[in-house]
Amino acid sequence: MTVLLVGGAIVPAGAQSFDTVGTRAAGMGGAFVAVADDASAAYWNPAGFASGSLFSLVLDRRTADVTTPGTSPAGNRSGLFMALGIPALGVSYYRLSSRQVAPAVRTETGNSLLEAETLVTHHLGATVVQSIVPGLTVGATLKMVRGYASSLLAPVTERDALLNPSGDVPAQESSHFDTDLGVMGTVGKLKAGITVRNALEPSFRMPGEAGTLRLQRQARVGLAVTPLSGWTVAADSDVLEVDGPAGPSRRFAAGTEARVYRKAIVRGGFNLNTTGERARALTAGGSFAATASLFLDVQVTRGSDPAQRGWGLAARFAY
Protein backbone atom coordinates (compact mmCIF):
# COMPACT_ATOMS: atom_id res chain seq x y z
CA MET A 1 0.00 0.00 0.00
CA THR A 2 1.34 3.43 -0.96
CA VAL A 3 0.66 6.15 1.60
CA LEU A 4 1.71 9.73 2.24
CA LEU A 5 2.39 11.44 5.52
CA VAL A 6 -0.27 14.00 6.31
CA GLY A 7 0.69 17.64 6.41
CA GLY A 8 -0.93 20.38 8.40
CA ALA A 9 -1.27 21.59 11.96
CA ILE A 10 -4.72 20.55 13.12
CA VAL A 11 -5.15 19.33 16.71
CA PRO A 12 -7.84 16.62 16.71
CA ALA A 13 -8.80 14.43 19.64
CA GLY A 14 -7.43 10.95 20.14
CA ALA A 15 -10.94 9.36 20.19
CA GLN A 16 -10.07 6.96 23.02
CA SER A 17 -13.53 6.23 24.41
CA PHE A 18 -14.33 6.14 28.13
CA ASP A 19 -15.62 2.57 27.96
CA THR A 20 -12.71 0.98 26.08
CA VAL A 21 -11.70 -0.82 29.30
CA GLY A 22 -13.85 -3.04 31.50
CA THR A 23 -15.61 -6.26 30.49
CA ARG A 24 -17.75 -6.28 33.61
CA ALA A 25 -18.61 -2.60 33.16
CA ALA A 26 -19.45 -3.08 29.46
CA GLY A 27 -21.76 -5.97 30.35
CA MET A 28 -23.80 -3.44 32.34
CA GLY A 29 -23.99 -1.09 29.36
CA GLY A 30 -21.14 1.02 30.71
CA ALA A 31 -23.03 2.04 33.86
CA PHE A 32 -20.20 1.47 36.32
CA VAL A 33 -18.98 4.77 37.82
CA ALA A 34 -21.01 4.20 41.01
CA VAL A 35 -20.36 0.42 41.06
CA ALA A 36 -16.52 0.21 40.59
CA ASP A 37 -15.78 -2.13 43.50
CA ASP A 38 -12.93 -4.20 42.01
CA ALA A 39 -9.45 -3.32 40.73
CA SER A 40 -10.92 -1.78 37.55
CA ALA A 41 -11.82 1.15 39.84
CA ALA A 42 -8.33 2.45 38.97
CA TYR A 43 -9.87 3.30 35.60
CA TRP A 44 -13.62 3.70 36.23
CA ASN A 45 -13.62 5.53 39.57
CA PRO A 46 -10.48 5.65 41.75
CA ALA A 47 -12.57 6.26 44.87
CA GLY A 48 -14.24 2.86 44.39
CA PHE A 49 -11.31 1.02 45.98
CA ALA A 50 -12.58 2.07 49.41
CA SER A 51 -15.77 -0.01 49.04
CA GLY A 52 -14.15 -3.00 47.35
CA SER A 53 -12.53 -6.23 48.48
CA LEU A 54 -9.53 -6.50 50.81
CA PHE A 55 -7.53 -7.51 47.73
CA SER A 56 -8.52 -7.42 44.06
CA LEU A 57 -6.76 -8.33 40.81
CA VAL A 58 -8.19 -7.77 37.31
CA LEU A 59 -6.91 -8.84 33.87
CA ASP A 60 -9.10 -7.48 31.10
CA ARG A 61 -9.20 -7.36 27.29
CA ARG A 62 -11.77 -5.51 25.15
CA THR A 63 -12.00 -4.67 21.46
CA ALA A 64 -14.46 -2.92 19.14
CA ASP A 65 -14.69 -2.12 15.43
CA VAL A 66 -16.42 0.94 14.01
CA THR A 67 -17.85 -0.26 10.69
CA THR A 68 -19.68 2.17 8.41
CA PRO A 69 -20.38 1.98 4.68
CA GLY A 70 -18.48 3.74 1.90
CA THR A 71 -16.12 6.53 2.91
CA SER A 72 -17.94 7.33 6.17
CA PRO A 73 -15.85 7.42 9.37
CA ALA A 74 -14.60 4.02 10.48
CA GLY A 75 -12.02 2.69 12.89
CA ASN A 76 -11.17 0.28 15.64
CA ARG A 77 -10.18 0.44 19.27
CA SER A 78 -8.96 -1.97 21.92
CA GLY A 79 -7.90 -2.00 25.54
CA LEU A 80 -5.67 -4.26 27.63
CA PHE A 81 -5.94 -3.65 31.38
CA MET A 82 -4.17 -5.05 34.44
CA ALA A 83 -4.61 -3.76 37.99
CA LEU A 84 -4.45 -4.82 41.62
CA GLY A 85 -5.60 -2.99 44.69
CA ILE A 86 -6.50 -2.86 48.35
CA PRO A 87 -9.01 -0.42 49.90
CA ALA A 88 -6.57 2.52 50.08
CA LEU A 89 -4.13 1.87 47.25
CA GLY A 90 -4.03 0.50 43.70
CA VAL A 91 -1.48 -0.11 40.94
CA SER A 92 -2.49 -0.36 37.28
CA TYR A 93 -1.20 -0.65 33.75
CA TYR A 94 -3.31 -0.43 30.62
CA ARG A 95 -2.79 -0.03 26.91
CA LEU A 96 -5.37 1.76 24.77
CA SER A 97 -5.30 1.73 20.98
CA SER A 98 -7.58 3.78 18.71
CA ARG A 99 -7.54 4.19 14.95
CA GLN A 100 -9.92 6.44 13.01
CA VAL A 101 -10.29 6.62 9.22
CA ALA A 102 -12.22 9.49 7.64
CA PRO A 103 -12.22 11.59 4.45
CA ALA A 104 -9.07 13.70 4.40
CA VAL A 105 -9.40 17.33 5.36
CA ARG A 106 -6.76 18.29 2.83
CA THR A 107 -5.02 16.75 -0.19
CA GLU A 108 -1.96 17.67 -2.22
CA THR A 109 -3.16 16.39 -5.62
CA GLY A 110 -6.89 17.03 -5.49
CA ASN A 111 -7.61 13.29 -5.51
CA SER A 112 -10.06 11.77 -3.05
CA LEU A 113 -8.06 10.49 -0.08
CA LEU A 114 -8.74 8.98 3.30
CA GLU A 115 -6.84 9.92 6.43
CA ALA A 116 -6.02 7.40 9.18
CA GLU A 117 -5.06 8.70 12.62
CA THR A 118 -3.75 6.23 15.19
CA LEU A 119 -2.99 6.75 18.87
CA VAL A 120 -1.60 4.04 21.15
CA THR A 121 -1.15 4.97 24.81
CA HIS A 122 0.46 3.08 27.68
CA HIS A 123 -0.73 4.17 31.14
CA LEU A 124 1.19 3.24 34.30
CA GLY A 125 -0.71 4.43 37.36
CA ALA A 126 -0.84 4.48 41.14
CA THR A 127 -4.19 5.04 42.84
CA VAL A 128 -4.54 6.67 46.26
CA VAL A 129 -7.80 6.91 48.19
CA GLN A 130 -8.85 9.10 51.12
CA SER A 131 -12.01 8.99 53.22
CA ILE A 132 -13.44 12.46 53.86
CA VAL A 133 -16.32 11.56 56.16
CA PRO A 134 -18.09 8.22 56.70
CA GLY A 135 -19.67 7.27 53.37
CA LEU A 136 -17.74 9.81 51.27
CA THR A 137 -14.42 8.95 49.60
CA VAL A 138 -12.19 10.66 47.05
CA GLY A 139 -9.48 9.02 44.96
CA ALA A 140 -6.95 9.79 42.27
CA THR A 141 -4.98 7.67 39.79
CA LEU A 142 -1.66 9.37 39.07
CA LYS A 143 -0.31 8.22 35.71
CA MET A 144 2.64 8.36 33.39
CA VAL A 145 1.33 8.07 29.84
CA ARG A 146 3.54 6.99 26.94
CA GLY A 147 1.90 7.71 23.59
CA TYR A 148 2.60 6.75 19.97
CA ALA A 149 0.79 8.90 17.40
CA SER A 150 0.72 8.53 13.61
CA SER A 151 -1.20 9.78 10.59
CA LEU A 152 -1.40 8.37 7.04
CA LEU A 153 -3.12 9.14 3.76
CA ALA A 154 -4.27 6.65 1.15
CA PRO A 155 -6.78 6.46 -1.73
CA VAL A 156 -10.40 5.68 -0.91
CA THR A 157 -9.96 2.21 -2.44
CA GLU A 158 -7.46 1.31 0.28
CA ARG A 159 -9.70 1.97 3.30
CA ASP A 160 -9.42 -1.62 4.58
CA ALA A 161 -5.64 -1.41 4.42
CA LEU A 162 -5.72 1.80 6.46
CA LEU A 163 -7.91 0.15 9.09
CA ASN A 164 -5.53 -2.79 9.42
CA PRO A 165 -2.15 -1.69 8.07
CA SER A 166 0.53 -4.27 7.40
CA GLY A 167 4.07 -3.58 8.55
CA ASP A 168 5.33 -0.75 10.74
CA VAL A 169 3.67 2.66 10.55
CA PRO A 170 5.91 5.67 11.33
CA ALA A 171 4.90 7.07 14.72
CA GLN A 172 6.25 9.68 17.08
CA GLU A 173 6.41 8.88 20.79
CA SER A 174 6.30 11.10 23.84
CA SER A 175 5.49 10.85 27.56
CA HIS A 176 3.26 12.98 29.77
CA PHE A 177 1.93 13.04 33.33
CA ASP A 178 -1.84 12.81 33.75
CA THR A 179 -4.39 12.03 36.43
CA ASP A 180 -7.88 10.56 36.80
CA LEU A 181 -10.07 11.73 39.70
CA GLY A 182 -13.05 10.13 41.42
CA VAL A 183 -15.59 10.65 44.18
CA MET A 184 -17.83 7.96 45.69
CA GLY A 185 -20.65 8.48 48.17
CA THR A 186 -22.70 5.77 49.90
CA VAL A 187 -25.99 6.08 51.79
CA GLY A 188 -27.52 2.76 52.72
CA LYS A 189 -28.15 0.79 49.52
CA LEU A 190 -27.56 3.82 47.27
CA LYS A 191 -24.17 4.82 45.81
CA ALA A 192 -23.27 7.86 43.73
CA GLY A 193 -20.04 8.51 41.87
CA ILE A 194 -18.23 11.09 39.75
CA THR A 195 -15.19 10.38 37.57
CA VAL A 196 -12.97 12.76 35.61
CA ARG A 197 -10.53 11.06 33.23
CA ASN A 198 -7.57 12.61 31.39
CA ALA A 199 -7.82 15.67 33.64
CA LEU A 200 -4.69 17.28 32.14
CA GLU A 201 -5.57 16.42 28.50
CA PRO A 202 -2.10 15.29 27.34
CA SER A 203 -1.30 15.74 23.63
CA PHE A 204 0.90 13.58 21.40
CA ARG A 205 2.58 14.94 18.29
CA MET A 206 2.45 12.96 15.05
CA PRO A 207 5.50 12.70 12.75
CA GLY A 208 6.45 15.65 10.55
CA GLU A 209 3.88 18.43 10.32
CA ALA A 210 0.84 16.21 10.89
CA GLY A 211 -0.24 17.99 14.08
CA THR A 212 -1.11 16.38 17.40
CA LEU A 213 -3.66 13.99 18.90
CA ARG A 214 -5.13 14.92 22.28
CA LEU A 215 -6.67 12.78 25.01
CA GLN A 216 -9.81 14.76 25.76
CA ARG A 217 -10.98 15.32 29.30
CA GLN A 218 -13.94 13.04 30.08
CA ALA A 219 -16.40 13.36 32.96
CA ARG A 220 -19.16 10.96 33.96
CA VAL A 221 -21.62 10.73 36.87
CA GLY A 222 -23.36 7.59 38.07
CA LEU A 223 -25.90 6.16 40.48
CA ALA A 224 -26.24 2.57 41.68
CA VAL A 225 -28.68 0.83 44.00
CA THR A 226 -28.67 -2.67 45.48
CA PRO A 227 -32.35 -3.51 46.06
CA LEU A 228 -31.51 -7.09 47.09
CA SER A 229 -28.33 -8.89 48.06
CA GLY A 230 -26.49 -9.88 44.88
CA TRP A 231 -28.51 -7.58 42.61
CA THR A 232 -27.33 -4.13 41.43
CA VAL A 233 -29.00 -1.61 39.13
CA ALA A 234 -26.98 1.36 37.84
CA ALA A 235 -27.10 4.34 35.48
CA ASP A 236 -24.36 6.67 34.17
CA SER A 237 -24.37 9.89 32.18
CA ASP A 238 -21.52 11.75 30.50
CA VAL A 239 -21.12 15.36 31.58
CA LEU A 240 -18.94 16.46 28.66
CA GLU A 241 -19.33 15.92 24.94
CA VAL A 242 -16.23 14.39 23.36
CA ASP A 243 -15.12 13.34 19.88
CA GLY A 244 -15.83 9.64 19.40
CA PRO A 245 -14.68 7.32 16.60
CA ALA A 246 -17.99 7.86 14.79
CA GLY A 247 -18.45 11.55 15.64
CA PRO A 248 -19.43 13.65 18.69
CA SER A 249 -20.49 11.59 21.69
CA ARG A 250 -22.26 12.14 25.01
CA ARG A 251 -23.55 8.88 26.44
CA PHE A 252 -26.25 7.70 28.81
CA ALA A 253 -25.96 4.13 30.08
CA ALA A 254 -28.06 1.86 32.27
CA GLY A 255 -27.57 -1.73 33.32
CA THR A 256 -27.83 -4.41 35.95
CA GLU A 257 -26.01 -7.43 37.30
CA ALA A 258 -27.45 -10.23 39.41
CA ARG A 259 -26.19 -13.47 40.91
CA VAL A 260 -28.60 -16.09 39.59
CA TYR A 261 -26.74 -19.12 40.91
CA ARG A 262 -23.92 -19.78 43.33
CA LYS A 263 -21.39 -19.81 40.48
CA ALA A 264 -23.16 -17.61 37.90
CA ILE A 265 -23.71 -13.85 37.52
CA VAL A 266 -25.59 -12.34 34.57
CA ARG A 267 -25.47 -8.76 33.26
CA GLY A 268 -27.37 -6.68 30.77
CA GLY A 269 -27.75 -3.06 29.79
CA PHE A 270 -27.87 -0.44 27.08
CA ASN A 271 -26.29 2.87 26.24
CA LEU A 272 -27.11 5.58 23.74
CA ASN A 273 -25.39 8.55 22.26
CA THR A 274 -27.52 11.56 23.21
CA THR A 275 -26.00 13.70 20.44
CA GLY A 276 -26.51 13.37 16.68
CA GLU A 277 -28.64 10.42 15.60
CA ARG A 278 -28.93 8.98 19.15
CA ALA A 279 -27.52 5.60 18.17
CA ARG A 280 -28.12 2.79 20.67
CA ALA A 281 -26.21 -0.27 21.82
CA LEU A 282 -27.40 -3.32 23.75
CA THR A 283 -25.03 -5.27 25.97
CA ALA A 284 -25.02 -8.68 27.61
CA GLY A 285 -22.48 -10.43 29.77
CA GLY A 286 -21.88 -12.74 32.65
CA SER A 287 -19.40 -14.28 35.07
CA PHE A 288 -18.57 -17.81 36.08
CA ALA A 289 -17.09 -18.35 39.54
CA ALA A 290 -14.28 -20.86 38.93
CA THR A 291 -13.54 -20.70 42.67
CA ALA A 292 -14.91 -18.66 45.54
CA SER A 293 -12.46 -15.86 44.65
CA LEU A 294 -11.83 -16.26 40.89
CA PHE A 295 -14.35 -14.99 38.32
CA LEU A 296 -14.20 -15.35 34.54
CA ASP A 297 -16.10 -12.61 32.69
CA VAL A 298 -17.43 -12.32 29.15
CA GLN A 299 -19.32 -9.53 27.38
CA VAL A 300 -20.71 -8.68 23.94
CA THR A 301 -22.21 -5.45 22.56
CA ARG A 302 -24.46 -5.06 19.52
CA GLY A 303 -26.88 -2.46 18.22
CA SER A 304 -27.26 0.51 15.90
CA ASP A 305 -24.29 2.40 17.34
CA PRO A 306 -21.25 1.50 15.19
CA ALA A 307 -18.83 2.85 17.81
CA GLN A 308 -19.91 0.35 20.48
CA ARG A 309 -20.02 -3.07 18.81
CA GLY A 310 -17.43 -5.38 20.31
CA TRP A 311 -16.58 -7.97 22.94
CA GLY A 312 -14.58 -8.44 26.11
CA LEU A 313 -12.96 -11.13 28.25
CA ALA A 314 -11.61 -10.79 31.78
CA ALA A 315 -10.43 -12.66 34.86
CA ARG A 316 -10.99 -11.20 38.32
CA PHE A 317 -9.61 -12.36 41.64
CA ALA A 318 -10.95 -10.92 44.89
CA TYR A 319 -11.18 -11.73 48.58
Side-chain angles (χ1 to χ4, degrees):
M1 176 182 68
T2 301
V3 295
L4 299 172
L5 289 177
V6 175
I10 58 173
V11 186
Q16 292 194 336
S17 302
F18 195 111
D19 50 4
T20 301
V21 163
T23 295
R24 180 184 171 203
M28 297 178 67
F32 205 67
V33 164
V35 179
D37 57 359
D38 56 35
S40 66
Y43 182 95
W44 276 88
N45 187 341
F49 276 111
S51 60
S53 305
L54 293 177
F55 176 83
S56 177
L57 171 67
V58 172
L59 304 175
D60 188 281
R61 166 69 170 171
R62 288 202 68 229
T63 185
D65 290 317
V66 183
T67 55
T68 53
T71 60
S72 300
N76 51 58
R77 57 189 174 93
S78 63
L80 175 65
F81 177 85
M82 298 178 285
L84 58 87
I86 57 177
L89 181 67
V91 178
S92 58
Y93 163 79
Y94 54 95
R95 176 187 183 274
L96 304 180
S97 175
S98 62
R99 178 177 294 112
Q100 183 170 341
V101 175
V105 177
R106 57 205 174 279
T107 67
E108 296 179 356
T109 63
N111 295 328
S112 179
L113 298 177
L114 292 178
E115 179 181 359
E117 296 172 343
T118 302
L119 179 62
V120 178
T121 54
H122 300 261
H123 304 245
L124 181 62
T127 302
V128 292
V129 182
Q130 178 64 52
S131 177
I132 304 301
V133 296
L136 180 63
T137 305
V138 298
T141 298
L142 310 176
K143 309 182 296 183
M144 285 303 301
V145 185
R146 187 71 170 172
Y148 300 80
S150 64
S151 183
L152 297 173
L153 286 178
V156 171
T157 55
E158 298 186 11
R159 188 177 93 155
D160 290 344
L162 281 177
L163 285 170
N164 298 285
S166 58
D168 295 331
V169 176
Q172 185 160 322
E173 57 184 280
S174 57
S175 297
H176 302 275
F177 175 78
D178 197 11
T179 184
D180 300 337
L181 307 172
V183 179
M184 186 80 81
T186 304
V187 179
K189 296 182 178 182
L190 180 67
K191 295 170 66 178
I194 303 172
T195 300
V196 178
R197 290 188 40 74
N198 307 326
L200 302 183
E201 293 193 306
S203 295
F204 303 90
R205 181 168 294 280
M206 294 178 283
E209 300 298 325
T212 62
L213 296 174
R214 184 180 78 251
L215 290 183
Q216 286 181 291
R217 185 178 298 115
Q218 302 166 332
R220 182 174 288 194
V221 298
L223 291 173
V225 62
T226 306
L228 297 172
S229 177
W231 179 28
T232 299
V233 180
D236 279 12
S237 180
D238 285 341
V239 177
L240 303 175
E241 181 177 295
V242 298
D243 295 324
S249 175
R250 181 188 287 121
R251 298 194 170 276
F252 173 81
T256 185
E257 71 173 2
R259 184 181 290 271
V260 295
Y261 181 65
R262 182 171 56 90
K263 289 182 174 291
I265 298 172
V266 296
R267 299 182 184 91
F270 75 94
N271 69 65
L272 61 89
N273 185 358
T274 60
T275 65
E277 297 182 358
R278 298 180 179 269
R280 296 171 175 81
L282 299 177
T283 69
S287 299
F288 172 75
T291 70
S293 300
L294 178 61
F295 297 86
L296 305 177
D297 302 334
V298 64
Q299 169 272 327
V300 65
T301 302
R302 293 291 183 267
S304 62
D305 190 339
Q308 293 293 299
R309 301 171 193 145
W311 55 267
L313 297 171
R316 293 182 293 120
F317 180 84
Y319 70 83

